[in-house]
């Protein structure tokens, strides 16, 4: 399972700084490429997209949910349990 990089015991106002610190250490994501920014879901009705410098660039009126990804090697689909330790 992928560990949450945010310390949720801290107030939500710190989440963007925490996420920025994590992204700075993760400049490349396997299968996706170069990190271009990050999104913090504050509530089910509020999310903010930030650039790599930690500047807010877009507000969403709902939590952001990423799409699903399927990985194939040739014609063989890799199970999700084999990716990223999940």
């Amino acid at each position: 399972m992928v560990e949450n990089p945010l310390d949720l015991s801290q107030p939500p106002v710190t989440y963007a700084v925490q996420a920025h610190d994590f992204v700075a250490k993760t400049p490349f994501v396997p299968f996706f490429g170069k990190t271009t920014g990050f999104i913090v879901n504050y509530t089910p009705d509020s999310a903010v997209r930030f650039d790599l410098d930690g500047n807010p660039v877009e507000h969403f009126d709902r939590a952001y949910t990423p799409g699903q990804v399927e990985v194939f090697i040739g014609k063989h689909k890799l199970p999700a349990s084999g990716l990223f330790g999940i």
Side-chain angles (χ1 to χ4, degrees):
M1 178 190 263
V2 177
E3 185 177 324
N4 184 346
L6 298 182
D7 179 354
L8 301 179
S9 69
Q10 299 297 314
V13 72
T14 68
Y15 294 171
V17 172
Q18 292 182 58
H20 180 258
D21 292 345
F22 181 80
V23 168
K25 299 173 192 170
T26 315
F28 184 84
V29 179
F31 299 108
F32 293 98
K34 184 179 173 185
T35 302
T36 60
F38 58 94
I39 296 175
V40 176
N41 288 330
Y42 287 101
T43 70
D45 299 322
S46 179
V48 178
R49 183 170 62 91
F50 296 86
D51 65 16
L52 281 178
D53 294 323
N55 300 310
V57 294
E58 186 174 6
H59 178 264
F60 300 100
D61 60 0
R62 61 181 175 81
Y64 176 79
T65 54
Q68 294 183 338
V69 175
E70 295 180 341
V71 178
F72 289 82
I73 295 181
K75 294 182 180 182
H76 301 283
K77 180 179 172 183
L78 296 177
S81 62
L83 299 173
F84 308 112
I86 55 174

